[in-house]
Amino acid sequence: MPPVSRPFQRAGPWAFALLLASAWVTPAFAQTDPLPSWNDGPAKQAIVAFVRATTDKASPTFVPPEARIATFDQDGTLWVEHPLYSQIMYCLERVPTVVKAKPELAKVEPFKTVLSGNREALSKLSLKDLETIAAATLTGMAVDAFHAEVKTWLETAKDPRWKRPYTELTYLPMQELLRYLRASGYKTYIVTGGGQEFVRVYAERVYGIPPEQVVGTAGGTKYGYDKEGRPFLTKEPKLLLNDNDAGKPEGIQLMIGRRPYAAFGNSTGDRQMLEYTKAGDGARLSMIVLHDDAKREYSYGPAQGLPPTKVGAFPQLLHDEAKKQGWIVISMKNDWKRIFDFE
Amino acid sequence: MPPVSRPFQRAGPWAFALLLASAWVTPAFAQTDPLPSWNDGPAKQAIVAFVRATTDKASPTFVPPEARIATFDQDGTLWVEHPLYSQIMYCLERVPTVVKAKPELAKVEPFKTVLSGNREALSKLSLKDLETIAAATLTGMAVDAFHAEVKTWLETAKDPRWKRPYTELTYLPMQELLRYLRASGYKTYIVTGGGQEFVRVYAERVYGIPPEQVVGTAGGTKYGYDKEGRPFLTKEPKLLLNDNDAGKPEGIQLMIGRRPYAAFGNSTGDRQMLEYTKAGDGARLSMIVLHDDAKREYSYGPAQGLPPTKVGAFPQLLHDEAKKQGWIVISMKNDWKRIFDFE
């Protein structure tokens, strides 16, 4: 028997009877819409139908609570990814500190370009340049020190368009979806191409997702001792898991060990996770967030008749796959009443 | 308000009042001993004191439920590891099937020796030989096929001494401890040098630990498609995590992302996990199971005045560390009333 709060006890046993009677007539859950920021279109209907199909014991596709796994890409699926992934902003903004500790880097590319602040030169940095910057800013320090640095940065850094902390740029409808799935017995995971340790710093506060449920691109750590002989872990520049494309189902196997029943993504890096999820037996839900709302957020990708984008690429191919495999497209423009909590 | 079962409703509101009154006087939990197979010695007292110190809101070392992580080594800590780890038995017993599929291996070492069944030759296999056998029997197949093979083996294979399935050779006191910690809000993890996918096959049924809470020595998987175009994962002979020694805290960081509050081990491979756990702030519990009961289980290690063992090595060093760092030794002989559930 769970503890009962004192006010009811003081009110005497009759209060219980009343409370119970009213609860049976109109269950609290049925009274409230778990997805108030969603318009009543095919996306919302698909979510509600999926939850019913997998949580109603009378359903032929009922899933026992312990197997209820839902995975979410982060960038572009749970929060804004344009004009650049937040973690890339972090890496670029950390460069001056890194150069301060190692002044010889100031004259070396790509650090020289980053320090110049020249936007045009910055936009031309290659993937290899970005990897060099990532290795210099994300590895070589104690895990705890890294967490502290990211936390400090998140408290002050602001998105250039909304002038708000990045952690406020999460999509309200997706936050509702996370809560709805959890209330329905699902364990919600982030499965991101972003850095696992980076996302862990804020995932619990921002999404209600604990560190152990964040799967991301992961580097190794090295166990060692400080001067006082206390053990600690150092972030190593050794890639264990590139959590993009085929790396997503591979990362899911490594970290979760079972196939999700629902998966949510928005770009080519999510394709394999979506098809792997949908290929499971019983009721499975694969959804893609389409960025088609230039006014309230962004609009990008060939599906909008716009030029291809490096960040959050969503080519025609993915549209065709979605149709073919029964993935459901979430139109930000049509399916979402509100996009941000601060609106 | 959580649902209330119908019998109480029929009995009318007074039943509630009575129930609540009695619950307040004697909480159900206090009436039953959560660790009935443990003698009332220092080990049991340390466990109960630790749980109180971390779950009582009035305690200065209270730990919020989401941070309550406890990690358990498996072989020698949760179940029998002598004379050989169960997974090694699996690998050896799989060799004939592997050779059937690849007859050319019959003439190649170490497969030739395994097929000969010569016990003396078998006992002389090197670590490299065992690795070759492990690679041949644990990789190269679909993850699902591997799970099915392990499941089938577990249903028929028997321990040579007790003539029982390996999965019955778990220690009852440790099973009680797992349940007690979970009832106290702890998430229980296995952190084993054994194969992550191997242990996941039975961990939920045997220990109540779901696949996502099994951290083990882990290889990579490769995403691909079968003839019908359905995606599946293949186990690769690529080592991602050697979950022994320093690999245990490193694996904990990778898979869990926070330091445990309690850790349980029994041999040198657990040393770093135990010291890493104990080095955290607040109340932390590190315990080692000592195999000192030759009659009911096994007795091994120099601490017993016995020759060193390859399986579950527990050298004098670990004894000294335990004393120095405040780890608590669990004597199977003195601390456990019963060892197995079937006794």
Side-chain angles (χ1 to χ4, degrees):
Chain A
M1 178 89 192
V4 175
S5 61
R6 282 174 180 277
F8 289 117
Q9 192 249 344
R10 275 201 224 103
W14 290 107
F16 275 102
L18 282 168
L19 191 78
L20 289 168
S22 73
W24 272 321
V25 176
T26 49
F29 194 69
Q31 292 176 334
T32 52
D33 178 356
L35 302 171
S37 300
W38 293 69
N39 285 315
D40 192 23
K44 179 174 179 171
Q45 286 161 14
I47 295 167
V48 173
F50 166 79
V51 168
R52 269 194 207 136
T54 55
T55 62
D56 179 348
K57 279 201 173 169
S59 159
T61 52
F62 173 78
V63 176
E66 66 274 15
R68 293 182 199 159
I69 303 282
T71 56
F72 290 80
D73 167 59
Q74 186 191 218
D75 295 302
T77 299
L78 292 179
W79 73 352
V80 174
E81 64 182 353
H82 267 222
L84 265 182
Y85 301 123
S86 304
Q87 192 179 355
I88 303 259
M89 297 300 294
Y90 172 79
C91 292
L92 295 174
E93 294 181 16
R94 283 292 296 172
V95 166
T97 312
V98 168
V99 172
K100 211 172 172 181
K102 291 185 188 176
E104 67 275 17
L105 292 178
K107 289 170 191 165
V108 181
E109 290 295 356
F111 302 100
K112 205 174 146 186
T113 296
V114 176
L115 291 173
S116 77
N118 182 330
R119 288 199 167 217
E120 210 191 313
L122 267 170
S123 72
K124 283 179 187 158
L125 288 176
S126 68
L127 188 64
K128 201 170 161 291
D129 289 333
L130 289 177
E131 279 171 6
T132 305
I133 295 163
T137 52
L138 302 177
T139 69
M141 71 291 282
V143 171
D144 290 349
F146 174 73
H147 285 181
E149 283 160 13
V150 174
K151 198 166 170 284
T152 303
W153 181 78
L154 286 170
E155 282 162 8
T156 52
K158 283 188 174 151
D159 170 85
R161 174 169 161 189
W162 283 277
K163 321 273 183 238
R164 286 177 177 273
Y166 291 101
T167 49
E168 290 187 20
L169 299 185
T170 64
Y171 306 133
L172 180 62
M174 296 305 282
Q175 292 275 17
E176 291 171 359
L177 177 55
L178 284 168
R179 286 192 290 265
Y180 176 42
L181 286 173
R182 287 198 291 262
S184 307
Y186 275 87
K187 264 194 183 176
T188 55
Y189 281 79
I190 288 175
V191 177
T192 174
Q196 186 165 287
E197 287 305 331
F198 185 84
V199 179
R200 278 174 169 170
V201 176
Y202 55 85
E204 186 140 34
R205 176 173 60 86
V206 173
Y207 302 115
I209 293 179
E212 62 270 26
Q213 284 165 225
V214 175
V215 181
T217 293
T221 57
K222 194 170 168 56
Y223 188 75
Y225 304 88
D226 68 11
K227 275 180 261 172
E228 281 82 40
R230 282 174 306 213
F232 73 104
L233 292 162
T234 303
K235 290 187 97 236
E236 294 266 284
K238 184 182 123 192
L239 187 68
L240 288 185
L241 174 68
N242 180 356
D243 200 38
N244 279 302
D245 307 311
K248 290 213 173 191
E250 290 162 7
I252 287 169
Q253 185 59 40
L254 177 68
M255 303 277 297
I256 311 177
R258 36 188 161 191
R259 195 192 297 247
Y261 276 85
F264 305 86
N266 79 298
S267 71
T268 44
D270 303 313
R271 208 193 87 188
Q272 287 84 344
M273 175 171 78
L274 296 167
E275 73 182 11
Y276 180 64
T277 300
K278 192 71 187 168
D281 54 8
R284 307 271 172 165
L285 182 66
S286 286
M287 300 187 90
I288 31 181
V289 174
L290 180 67
H291 294 262
D292 58 356
D293 195 328
K295 204 175 156 200
R296 295 188 298 171
E297 202 242 11
Y298 292 103
S299 179
Y300 46 92
Q304 317 302 316
L306 296 165
T309 170
K310 266 199 252 182
V311 174
F314 186 86
Q316 188 60 42
L317 167 83
L318 211 57
H319 255 285
D320 301 343
E321 279 294 303
K323 263 191 204 156
K324 214 175 77 187
Q325 303 205 24
W327 307 342
I328 290 156
V329 173
I330 299 167
S331 159
M332 293 180 76
K333 195 171 171 182
N334 301 321
D335 286 312
W336 290 355
K337 276 184 207 159
R338 278 171 74 187
I339 291 190
F340 301 110
D341 192 35
F342 57 76
E343 269 172 26
Chain B
M1 180 89 192
V4 174
S5 61
R6 282 172 182 277
F8 288 118
Q9 193 250 342
R10 276 201 222 101
W14 289 108
F16 274 101
L18 282 168
L19 192 77
L20 288 168
S22 73
W24 272 322
V25 176
T26 49
F29 194 69
Q31 292 176 333
T32 53
D33 178 356
L35 301 170
S37 301
W38 292 70
N39 285 315
D40 192 23
K44 179 173 179 172
Q45 286 161 13
I47 294 167
V48 173
F50 166 79
V51 168
R52 270 194 207 136
T54 55
T55 61
D56 179 348
K57 279 201 172 168
S59 160
T61 52
F62 174 77
V63 176
E66 66 274 14
R68 292 181 199 159
I69 303 282
T71 55
F72 291 79
D73 168 58
Q74 187 191 216
D75 295 302
T77 298
L78 292 179
W79 74 352
V80 173
E81 65 183 352
H82 265 221
L84 265 182
Y85 302 123
S86 305
Q87 192 179 355
I88 304 260
M89 297 301 293
Y90 172 79
C91 292
L92 295 174
E93 294 182 14
R94 282 294 296 173
V95 165
T97 313
V98 168
V99 171
K100 211 172 171 183
K102 291 185 187 175
E104 67 274 19
L105 292 179
K107 290 171 191 167
V108 181
E109 290 297 356
F111 303 100
K112 206 175 146 186
T113 296
V114 176
L115 291 173
S116 77
N118 181 330
R119 287 199 168 218
E120 209 190 312
L122 268 170
S123 72
K124 283 180 186 157
L125 289 176
S126 68
L127 189 63
K128 201 170 162 290
D129 289 333
L130 289 177
E131 280 172 4
T132 305
I133 295 163
T137 52
L138 303 176
T139 69
M141 70 291 282
V143 171
D144 290 348
F146 174 73
H147 285 182
E149 283 159 13
V150 175
K151 196 166 171 283
T152 303
W153 181 78
L154 286 170
E155 282 162 9
T156 52
K158 283 189 175 151
D159 171 84
R161 174 168 162 191
W162 283 279
K163 321 273 184 236
R164 287 177 177 271
Y166 292 101
T167 48
E168 288 186 21
L169 299 184
T170 66
Y171 307 133
L172 180 62
M174 296 305 282
Q175 292 274 17
E176 291 171 359
L177 177 55
L178 284 167
R179 286 192 291 264
Y180 176 42
L181 287 173
R182 287 197 291 263
S184 306
Y186 276 86
K187 264 193 183 177
T188 54
Y189 282 79
I190 287 174
V191 177
T192 173
Q196 185 165 287
E197 288 305 332
F198 185 84
V199 179
R200 277 174 169 170
V201 175
Y202 54 85
E204 187 140 32
R205 175 172 61 85
V206 174
Y207 302 115
I209 293 180
E212 62 270 25
Q213 283 164 227
V214 175
V215 181
T217 293
T221 56
K222 194 171 169 54
Y223 189 75
Y225 304 89
D226 68 11
K227 275 181 260 172
E228 281 81 39
R230 281 174 308 214
F232 73 104
L233 293 161
T234 303
K235 290 188 95 236
E236 294 266 284
K238 184 181 122 192
L239 187 68
L240 288 185
L241 174 66
N242 180 356
D243 201 38
N244 279 302
D245 307 310
K248 289 214 174 190
E250 291 163 5
I252 287 169
Q253 184 60 40
L254 177 67
M255 302 278 296
I256 310 177
R258 34 188 162 193
R259 195 191 297 247
Y261 276 84
F264 305 86
N266 79 300
S267 71
T268 44
D270 303 314
R271 207 193 87 187
Q272 287 85 344
M273 175 170 78
L274 296 167
E275 73 182 10
Y276 179 64
T277 300
K278 192 70 187 168
D281 54 8
R284 307 270 172 166
L285 181 67
S286 286
M287 300 188 89
I288 32 181
V289 174
L290 181 66
H291 295 261
D292 59 356
D293 195 329
K295 205 176 154 199
R296 295 188 299 171
E297 202 241 12
Y298 292 103
S299 178
Y300 45 92
Q304 317 302 316
L306 296 167
T309 170
K310 265 199 251 182
V311 173
F314 186 86
Q316 189 58 45
L317 167 82
L318 211 57
H319 255 285
D320 301 343
E321 280 294 303
K323 264 191 202 154
K324 214 175 78 186
Q325 303 204 24
W327 307 343
I328 291 155
V329 173
I330 299 167
S331 158
M332 293 180 76
K333 194 171 172 183
N334 301 321
D335 286 313
W336 290 355
K337 275 184 208 160
R338 278 172 74 188
I339 292 193
F340 301 111
D341 192 35
F342 57 76
E343 269 172 28

